Amino acid sequence: MITVKGLRKSFGRNEVLKGITTTINKGEVIAVIGPSGSGKSTFLRCLNRLETRIEGSIMIEGTGIEQMEGQLRKKVGMVFQHFNLFPHFTVLENITFAPGQVLKTEKTESLNDAFELLKSVGLSDKANDYPAKLSGGQKQRVAIARALAMKPEVMLFDEPTSALDPEMVKEVLQVMKNLVKSGMTMVIVTHEMAFAKEVADRVLFMDDGKLVEDETPDVFFKDPKTERAQAFLEKVI
Amino acid sequence: MNLDFAQLVPSIPYILYGIWVTLQFVAVSLVLGFFGGTVLSLFKIGKITILRWFADAYTSIFRGTPLILQMLIIYYAVPQLTGVDMGAFTAGVLTFALNSAAYISEIIRAGINAVDKGQKEAAMALGVSYQSMMLKIILPQALKNILPALMNEFITLTKESAIVSVIGALDVMRRAQIVGASNYRFFEPLLLAGLIYYLLVMLLTLAGRVVERRLAKSDYC
């Protein structure tokens, strides 16, 4: 579904991605892990053109993402580390805003969808609250619902639990697990190793802007091939 | 010390009518200035070099020269050049709108830059167009943050509007001067004018607080 070839990205003289090549198939759940500064988030952000001026190519279903314009953001949803909910909108408005503006969905339909989504993330009672009133975990679940309201085919998660208090992590991971069960194609940058092990079909291990390992979680966590991955796993597990 | 307010009484309605003139003047300048300032600020943060350059040059010129000079140029010098003669009121409004647009554009630009860049990214990731993103997501948040600075600018505008008396617009200031000159007593009418300006500014401050409180509602409930 997504084909990445020779992806390079620099910020000034600092080359953050040094030639990434991989394929993400429909329905696959990919965990991207690696040390800080390895380029995981940049890689993710390249996939929906939050980072532009890249070298190499990224294609979704055979079309280069530069040529997709509006279609790209309709197909690809994103969840951020810091939620980025719109603080001046209620929970409901956060979810219905983009469908109304971008997809021109009827108000009643987008409201129905929103209530449905809120139910699925367990926040039906928060529909009319402002984000400031929610806990971190609740905010992130709203953010997931907001992205899903656009009916994307792929969901990108940029460290979705890294900014949460420990006791909030589980509720967000649970929502993500439900999403995995629904068959959504997902690319998840994460430090939650247990979660990656449990839900991922493949683990991409990145270090210093390179894709060092691309394995199933069973193989990767038990028997990492590179020294770099071994050292990393020793520290985090 | 010989204050004699009794003598001022017949002239009070004349001076009070100036409030209407001043209010009209301030309201029109304020709306135009705010609109112009918003457009300029969008130029400044935009990607089009020539517009950015224009907005920067504009701000630099209007901030770098005296307001009264700008007004005299617009009132006296522009007609000389173009043959278009405008009234004192129009010339004054134009000057104040152009001038405050420069200041307001800087305030709004700072406000936009202070909005968390995650907001822009979230809007982009959802496929929201630049225009809706700016109007519905970024500007409302920017305005909330800059409201105190904006109120400051509006208050300055209200007080500085007294400068139009120089070109003969019949605002509160001008009227007070006229009354003073005809009675040979300046203290009383000028005191009244001062009181009027002070009350106007207080009203504006109060209105600002109300708006601020209303905008703050998303912080609490």
Side-chain angles (χ1 to χ4, degrees):
Chain A
M1 179 171 199
I2 305 178
T3 319
V4 181
K5 268 189 201 144
L7 173 62
R8 286 169 180 276
K9 168 72 191 171
S10 303
F11 294 108
R13 281 195 194 155
N14 184 18
E15 193 173 40
V16 181
L17 296 179
K18 301 173 178 171
I20 306 278
T21 299
T22 190
T23 305
I24 296 159
N25 299 310
K26 198 166 178 62
E28 250 183 341
V29 177
I30 309 275
V32 184
I33 64 176
S36 302
S38 58
K40 311 182 293 289
S41 287
T42 307
F43 169 67
L44 198 72
R45 290 160 57 85
C46 285
L47 295 180
N48 72 343
R49 299 202 77 214
L50 282 184
E51 302 296 349
T52 49
R53 280 187 266 177
I54 56 168
E55 285 173 58
S57 80
I58 302 175
M59 313 240 269
I60 295 186
E61 286 163 348
T63 316
I65 57 171
E66 305 82 19
Q67 275 98 55
M68 291 176 70
E69 308 208 340
Q71 284 305 313
L72 175 66
R73 266 73 183 263
K74 284 182 198 164
K75 282 195 177 164
V76 183
M78 184 157 188
V79 173
F80 299 86
Q81 181 178 0
H82 295 288
F83 332 125
N84 300 349
L85 292 179
F86 306 129
H88 58 308
F89 287 170
T90 62
V91 164
L92 207 55
E93 288 165 341
N94 263 283
I95 298 174
T96 55
F97 176 70
Q101 290 281 323
V102 184
L103 305 176
K104 313 282 177 212
T105 311
E106 290 287 332
K107 183 107 191 166
T108 46
E109 195 191 329
S110 64
L111 278 174
N112 281 339
D113 286 352
F115 281 121
E116 206 54 43
L117 284 164
L118 278 176
K119 205 167 129 195
S120 73
V121 299
L123 290 172
S124 297
D125 55 328
K126 302 291 182 192
N128 294 312
D129 285 350
Y130 283 94
K133 216 184 156 191
L134 305 181
S135 71
Q138 291 171 333
K139 282 183 196 168
Q140 194 61 299
R141 286 187 277 156
V142 172
I144 294 172
R146 177 177 69 175
L148 290 175
M150 292 295 286
K151 303 191 166 67
E153 293 170 29
V154 185
M155 284 282 282
L156 309 178
F157 292 85
D158 189 3
E159 300 195 25
T161 58
S162 297
L164 298 178
D165 290 339
E167 69 264 36
M168 312 274 175
V169 170
K170 211 172 156 191
E171 61 190 57
V172 172
L173 293 183
Q174 189 53 52
V175 167
M176 290 170 67
K177 277 180 202 167
N178 294 344
L179 205 53
V180 172
K181 272 185 219 144
S182 78
M184 176 68 76
T185 311
M186 294 160 76
V187 186
I188 308 165
V189 172
T190 186
H191 293 297
E192 297 288 332
M193 295 305 148
F195 177 71
K197 207 171 183 171
E198 185 183 337
V199 304
D201 298 309
R202 273 162 60 203
V203 173
L204 305 186
F205 177 73
M206 288 181 65
D207 184 44
D208 192 28
K210 283 179 265 197
L211 182 54
V212 182
E213 297 209 22
D214 178 351
E215 290 290 354
T216 62
D218 287 345
V219 175
F220 178 77
F221 286 105
K222 248 187 237 134
D223 187 20
K225 287 191 187 59
T226 58
E227 251 174 62
R228 191 65 195 88
Q230 286 161 12
F232 176 78
L233 285 175
E234 241 164 64
K235 274 186 200 144
V236 295
I237 295 179
Chain B
M1 188 86 168
N2 63 336
L3 283 176
D4 180 8
F5 285 97
Q7 203 204 21
L8 180 67
V9 171
S11 311
I12 287 179
Y14 178 72
I15 295 180
L16 286 184
Y17 188 77
I19 296 178
W20 174 234
V21 179
T22 295
L23 277 182
Q24 268 183 310
F25 181 84
V26 170
V28 179
S29 317
L30 204 145
V31 171
L32 291 177
F34 182 69
F35 181 75
T38 308
V39 172
L40 284 173
S41 69
L42 291 177
F43 285 179
K44 284 179 187 175
I45 60 159
K47 287 203 173 89
I48 305 168
T49 316
I50 182 116
L51 293 181
R52 219 165 46 210
W53 181 87
F54 167 79
D56 284 341
Y58 179 99
T59 306
S60 169
I61 290 168
F62 275 91
R63 284 205 305 192
T65 55
L67 178 60
I68 191 163
L69 174 83
Q70 294 161 16
M71 187 174 67
L72 293 182
I73 286 178
I74 288 176
Y75 187 58
Y76 291 118
V78 168
Q80 175 196 335
L81 218 68
T82 61
V84 183
D85 208 354
M86 54 189 133
F89 186 84
T90 316
V93 164
L94 199 60
T95 312
F96 274 78
L98 292 173
N99 183 277
S100 66
Y103 285 91
I104 290 174
S105 74
E106 277 300 287
I107 296 174
I108 296 179
R109 185 183 64 85
I112 290 173
N113 286 340
V115 174
D116 178 19
K117 78 176 189 344
Q119 294 290 307
K120 189 179 171 189
E121 291 184 350
M124 282 168 69
L126 287 165
V128 176
S129 68
Y130 184 80
Q131 194 190 337
S132 324
M133 173 180 81
M134 273 299 162
L135 287 178
K136 305 270 175 60
I137 306 289
I138 307 294
L139 279 175
Q141 294 184 57
L143 287 182
K144 183 175 156 185
N145 294 334
I146 61 176
L147 202 69
L150 223 43
M151 282 320 287
N152 229 349
E153 175 61 23
F154 294 163
I155 286 169
T156 306
L157 187 69
T158 307
K159 289 184 300 178
E160 296 288 292
S161 75
I163 290 181
V164 285
S165 62
V166 169
I167 54 174
L170 286 169
D171 69 332
V172 174
M173 188 67 210
R174 179 80 187 141
R175 283 163 193 260
Q177 278 178 303
I178 290 171
V179 170
S182 64
N183 292 350
Y184 300 108
R185 302 185 65 90
F186 282 95
F187 198 87
E188 296 87 347
L190 291 181
L191 201 65
L192 178 62
L195 188 69
I196 290 171
Y197 281 112
Y198 184 73
L199 288 178
L200 285 181
V201 168
M202 284 303 106
L203 270 177
L204 212 52
T205 311
L206 221 65
R209 291 227 180 99
V210 171
V211 178
E212 214 168 316
R213 217 171 298 145
R214 282 198 49 187
L215 288 179
K217 77 175 182 230
S218 57
D219 291 344
Y220 309 113
C221 55

